[in-house]
Amino acid sequence: TAQGGLSDQTLNADWTVAPLPAQAPPPDRAAGPSIFGSFNATFKNNPPLLDRWARILAALPASRLLLKSRHIASRDNAARIAAAFAARGVDPQRVETSRHLPSSREHLDLYNQIDIALDPFPYHGATTTCEALWMGAPVLTLAGNSHVSRVGVSLLTAVGLDDFIARDPDDYLHRALRAAADLPALADLRRTLRDRLRASPLCDAPRFARNVEAAYRTIWQTWCAQSASAS
């Protein structure tokens, strides 16, 4: 996990250790489209979320969206995704669904093909967000008012990516378009995000352990004080 510390190795499906893929140079978008991506579980793709993703694609006519999860590339799911975007006025050919990849290395290497990862809402990603950041792809998230809709907020705040935290759906669209237009900033993030993540509180396991210990001690002291008062 991120809180247990990230290294430059990963586990394959057969539990063998393999080197993590390197961060590739940022894709050359001077004459090509922006590529958005979401590698989150299929069940998180709800109608309001697809509405917002379709508006992003509509506002950037040359852009594309890459979706990947364990089951999304099945014939039925791929057809449903295509129909959903067609109903929202987006050519389904602009939305690609990736099959399940057998190794973690192949899965992570796929992040090198995207410019910006789109966090689903209201149910944010967690592992997928850390993976994207580790591979140099910034993640756009929408802040909600529950735990599952603030995981992305917590992760991005810890890495200093406040500019990728949207306040509402319209802000989500605005920030996506602004980020896609700033190619130098995306290139800089591609080069620096792994080191930023490694140096952030997310990868500081001793600090995390100390904070948990302090929380447990506070809970215990509060309970003792309340018990003494009740007596």
Side-chain angles (χ1 to χ4, degrees), residues 19-161:
L20 280 171
Q23 294 162 284
D28 181 8
R29 303 299 185 208
S34 294
I35 306 296
F36 297 94
S38 179
F39 299 173
N40 303 85
T42 308
F43 72 84
K44 297 182 180 182
N45 296 338
N46 57 79
L49 176 67
L50 296 180
D51 289 343
R52 197 56 33 175
W53 287 354
R55 287 193 60 184
I56 292 171
L57 295 177
L60 296 170
S63 64
R64 302 179 66 83
L65 175 62
L66 173 60
L67 301 176
K68 177 189 178 296
S69 68
R70 182 172 293 274
H71 304 295
I72 200 167
S74 71
R75 180 176 300 178
D76 289 345
N77 283 332
R80 279 193 287 269
I81 288 292
F85 279 95
R88 291 165 171 80
V90 174
D91 182 355
Q93 296 298 317
R94 296 172 59 196
V95 182
E96 180 183 354
T97 54
S98 173
R99 63 180 177 83
H100 175 63
L101 299 174
S103 75
S104 296
R105 181 180 176 83
E106 290 176 285
H107 165 70
L108 291 170
D109 194 46
L110 200 60
Y111 283 100
N112 282 323
Q113 297 185 23
I114 68 174
D115 300 294
I116 301 168
L118 299 176
D119 202 14
F121 59 82
Y123 202 125
H124 289 183
T127 302
T128 48
T129 298
C130 293
E131 290 173 343
L133 298 176
W134 189 252
M135 293 304 299
V139 182
L140 176 66
T141 196
L142 172 60
N145 55 12
S146 65
H147 168 71
V148 298
S149 62
R150 295 194 66 83
V151 174
V153 177
S154 176
L155 296 173
L156 294 181
T157 299
V159 185
L161 290 181

Side-chain angles (χ1 to χ4, degrees), residues 188-209:
D188 181 66
L189 287 172
R190 179 75 66 172
R191 290 189 299 268
T192 62
L193 256 182
R194 181 173 295 185
D195 287 339
R196 288 175 62 172
L197 179 60
R198 200 196 305 266
S200 77
L202 292 175
C203 293
D204 189 346
R207 176 182 181 273
F208 179 78

